[in-house]
Amino acid sequence: MRNIKNLKADNPDLWDPEVSTASREKIRALQLKNLRQTLKHCYENNVFYKNRIDEAGFDPDKVSDLSDIEKLPFTTKEDLRVNYPFGLFCTPLNQVIRVHSSSGTTGNPTVVGYTKEDLEIWAQVLARIMYDVGVRKEDIVQVSHGFGLFTGGFGFQYAAEKIGAMVIPVSGGNTERQLKIMNDFKSTVLCCTPSYTLFMAEVADRIGIDFSRLELKLGFLGAEPWSEPMRNEIEKRLCIKALNSYGLSEVIGPGVSCECLVQDGLHLNEDHFLAEIIDPDTGKNLPPGEKGEIVFTTLTKKAFPVIRYRTKDISYLYKNECSCGKTFMKMSRPMGRTDDMLIIRGVNVFPSQIEEVLMNIKDLEPHYLIVLSKENYLDKIEVWVEVSENIFQEKLMDLEFFEKSIENRLYSAIGIHINVSLKEPKTIARSEGKAQRVWDRRQEKN
Ligand code: ADP
Ligand code: ZN
């Protein structure tokens, strides 16, 4: 495995081993310095934060240790909504040169803002991630995330530009054109959601584009939860190395964390973002290795800093160092959001756990939908999943038996009975952005 310390520094601006391979003490000292500045900045420039900090009896001038932050209250999505649109901005609006908005997956959108320097930080943090895994100015980066209020498109655009690569801002959708461009322009790097890559693979098969003959070698995939078997499927079908990239607009957008080539955990950009893991029920901090809700405090942003922002994403922090040489702490792949969690007969289930089981079963396609309904006032959970073309035609008679065997696999992995309904190939809706994995029909009248 290549160690990032040995990377050739052909771009000194992006290769910063003094920071990204620094000792824990050095990283923590830098975080503390920036935390002090951020708390002061929020306190002095925003009424909401000032009141919150005062109510907590906290003196932003007296932060002596990173753990002092645990004395501060959380900021929630609800706080953002109540202060819609610009109430949590911490600079005058004339210094804000850009706004973005979360995609509203779970409710009203929330609005975030950037100064010129904030946009520069965004480019820098994501460019560093890409640079460290080998993206160079010779690369051709196809950005198939949406451009617009969603942060995905612009984030990768800036980062790739900063590296000096050629960027193709093709945005999401129009999959045949995407593939033609990928083929004709010889794209080497792809940025989009994992579910969209599988849709691309399917369209490529149909129109006769063979990924093994393309130049594409690396994917930065994220914006939605995905599982390890899903990664294997993507790597096999697109003939790329697929890295998990995580971010959220409230923190900055893509660039909060990403996997290195070791593909085991996502390195946090710790000099800009301070991560904590808390128990979502009690709000208490959890040590590395324990799973809980990830909470972020930004350390350098000016227009829209956040203090202890509750992401609702479930993850844990790694204890060990990484063999790539980077010393930034790693977080586990986010397995879902607390509000995506299904509680079925008392058992907590994330869609990604169901995905993991399904994707390990031969003859199933990576397209599924979890359908929730009511039967005699009780919640009912069913999974629709597509079977591969060959088995559908050959084994029509055996499908019922196959369904039962999948139900057994789900039962032994998750501990509850989930009805499985096998579907014909290409009947479940495909996604060009964030996939919708759950269809909740519990409110529907029968
Ligand atoms: P939202 O989807 O909340 O409207 P964003 O567009 O900012 O807002 O998306 C950020 C959210 O997307 C994260 O909080 C997380 O739930 C999800 N997400 C982003 N990247 C990943 C990833 N790599 N794995 C799992 N979930 C992710
Ligand atoms: Zn690493």
Side-chain angles (χ1 to χ4, degrees):
M1 172 59 59
R2 186 181 58 172
N3 189 301
I4 67 160
K5 283 185 186 152
N6 306 328
L7 271 181
K8 197 167 143 274
D10 53 1
N11 192 334
D13 195 24
L14 290 174
W15 188 67
D16 57 357
E18 302 78 35
V19 183
S20 53
T21 67
S23 66
R24 290 305 310 159
E25 294 71 47
K26 211 170 146 191
I27 292 171
R28 291 179 72 83
L30 179 62
Q31 287 185 312
L32 183 60
K33 179 175 132 262
N34 289 338
L35 175 65
R36 283 196 187 111
Q37 281 175 4
T38 298
L39 292 180
K40 228 168 128 52
H41 172 67
C42 293
Y43 188 80
E44 286 168 3
N45 295 292
N46 184 282
V47 183
F48 169 87
Y49 281 122
K50 181 176 185 313
N51 290 343
R52 277 286 173 94
I53 291 172
D54 284 341
E55 279 162 24
F58 193 88
D59 183 348
D61 280 325
K62 288 200 183 126
V63 180
S64 60
D65 191 87
L66 284 178
S67 64
D68 286 345
I69 198 173
E70 293 172 26
K71 297 174 197 146
L72 282 166
F74 298 112
T75 308
T76 63
K77 228 181 186 40
E78 195 47 35
D79 294 326
L80 267 60
R81 291 192 180 125
V82 169
N83 290 285
Y84 174 90
F86 304 138
L88 291 190
F89 285 19
C90 294
T91 51
L93 285 184
N94 66 7
Q95 289 181 31
V96 176
I97 64 163
R98 170 73 62 75
V99 290
H100 277 283
S101 168
S102 81
S103 47
T105 314
T106 53
N108 288 330
T110 49
V111 182
V112 302
Y114 303 76
T115 62
K116 192 163 187 295
E117 292 72 30
D118 293 339
L119 285 183
E120 178 52 35
I121 290 169
W122 189 14
Q124 180 78 24
V125 288
L126 187 52
R128 169 164 72 188
I129 284 169
M130 297 171 79
Y131 185 83
D132 288 349
V133 296
V135 180
R136 293 292 178 272
K137 57 182 189 311
E138 293 72 23
D139 278 296
I140 301 179
V141 180
Q142 181 157 342
V143 184
S144 307
H145 271 304
F147 281 77
L149 287 176
F150 174 55
T151 49
F154 282 101
F156 280 101
Q157 169 83 29
Y158 295 139
E161 263 176 17
K162 186 150 187 72
I163 290 173
M166 183 201 291
V167 192
I168 314 171
V170 54
S171 193
N174 205 338
T175 308
E176 283 190 26
R177 188 183 65 165
Q178 295 270 359
L179 291 163
K180 182 168 165 48
I181 287 174
M182 195 180 282
N183 181 60
D184 298 348
F185 297 8
K186 300 191 169 21
S187 313
T188 57
V189 178
L190 176 64
C191 313
C192 62
T193 58
S195 55
Y196 191 36
T197 63
L198 288 175
F199 184 28
M200 286 183 186
E202 203 170 79
V203 177
D205 280 348
R206 176 160 53 79
I207 64 176
I209 286 185
D210 177 358
F211 272 101
S212 73
R213 303 176 82 99
L214 300 186
E215 300 293 322
L216 202 67
K217 58 178 190 207
L218 193 59
F220 292 93
L221 312 181
E224 64 184 7
W226 52 311
S227 60
E228 196 58 36
M230 178 79 97
R231 187 216 305 274
N232 298 338
E233 183 80 18
I234 292 169
E235 293 198 327
K236 194 172 80 201
R237 290 179 71 166
L238 275 79
C239 307
I240 57 170
K241 201 158 176 82
L243 302 180
N244 195 347
S245 145
Y246 168 83
L248 61 164
S249 38
E250 294 86 344
V251 175
I252 204 156
V256 175
S257 67
C258 185
E259 286 177 334
C260 59
L261 296 174
V262 177
Q263 291 179 301
D264 175 21
L266 292 73
H267 284 284
L268 288 150
N269 268 315
E270 281 194 283
D271 47 345
H272 295 274
F273 315 112
L274 177 64
E276 300 170 78
I277 298 282
I278 60 157
D279 178 328
D281 296 324
T282 64
K284 290 262 174 303
N285 282 68
L286 297 174
E290 278 187 42
K291 207 190 297 169
E293 179 177 348
I294 190 153
V295 168
F296 283 107
T297 300
T298 59
L299 299 174
T300 47
K301 280 196 318 171
K302 288 287 186 278
F304 191 85
V306 282
I307 299 177
R308 302 197 86 200
Y309 180 69
R310 289 187 65 156
T311 62
K312 299 190 173 182
D313 293 325
I314 299 293
S315 175
Y316 60 86
L317 299 176
Y318 278 51
K319 296 178 198 164
N320 56 317
E321 288 192 354
C322 186
S323 58
C324 79
K326 218 177 224 195
T327 49
F328 285 159
M329 176 116 58
K330 292 196 286 192
M331 58 181 263
S332 73
R333 61 168 64 239
M335 59 186 294
R337 316 191 199 221
T338 49
D339 42 15
D340 283 346
M341 193 178 72
L342 311 167
I343 304 180
I344 312 292
R345 296 186 282 280
V347 178
N348 299 346
V349 187
F350 282 100
S352 60
Q353 288 172 281
I354 295 176
E355 174 181 305
E356 194 152 347
V357 175
L358 297 178
M359 296 303 96
N360 272 323
I361 298 175
K362 200 171 152 276
D363 291 326
L364 289 183
E365 289 294 305
H367 303 287
Y368 67 96
L369 187 67
I370 298 164
V371 184
L372 302 174
S373 57
K374 280 257 188 238
E375 200 176 67
N376 301 328
Y377 303 102
L378 288 177
D379 283 351
K380 185 174 156 208
I381 178 169
E382 191 180 17
V383 177
W384 297 359
V385 57
E386 289 180 14
V387 286
S388 59
E389 200 86 52
N390 56 339
I391 130 145
F392 192 74
Q393 277 160 14
E394 282 167 22
K395 298 195 186 162
L396 212 52
M397 301 306 289
D398 291 340
L399 287 187
E400 208 170 318
F401 177 75
F402 191 26
E403 279 173 351
K404 289 280 166 280
S405 80
I406 301 167
E407 287 171 2
N408 289 340
R409 295 270 294 259
L410 285 166
Y411 186 82
S412 56
I414 301 173
I416 49 164
H417 184 79
I418 298 173
N419 290 324
V420 172
S421 173
L422 294 175
K423 299 287 174 197
E424 277 182 55
K426 308 200 171 63
T427 49
I428 292 175
R430 303 299 192 246
S431 122
E432 294 171 349
K434 290 180 190 248
Q436 199 67 45
R437 300 298 194 190
V438 179
W439 182 19
D440 192 345
R441 310 180 65 181
R442 285 176 295 185
Q443 305 304 329
E444 285 177 18
K445 294 250 167 3
N446 300 327

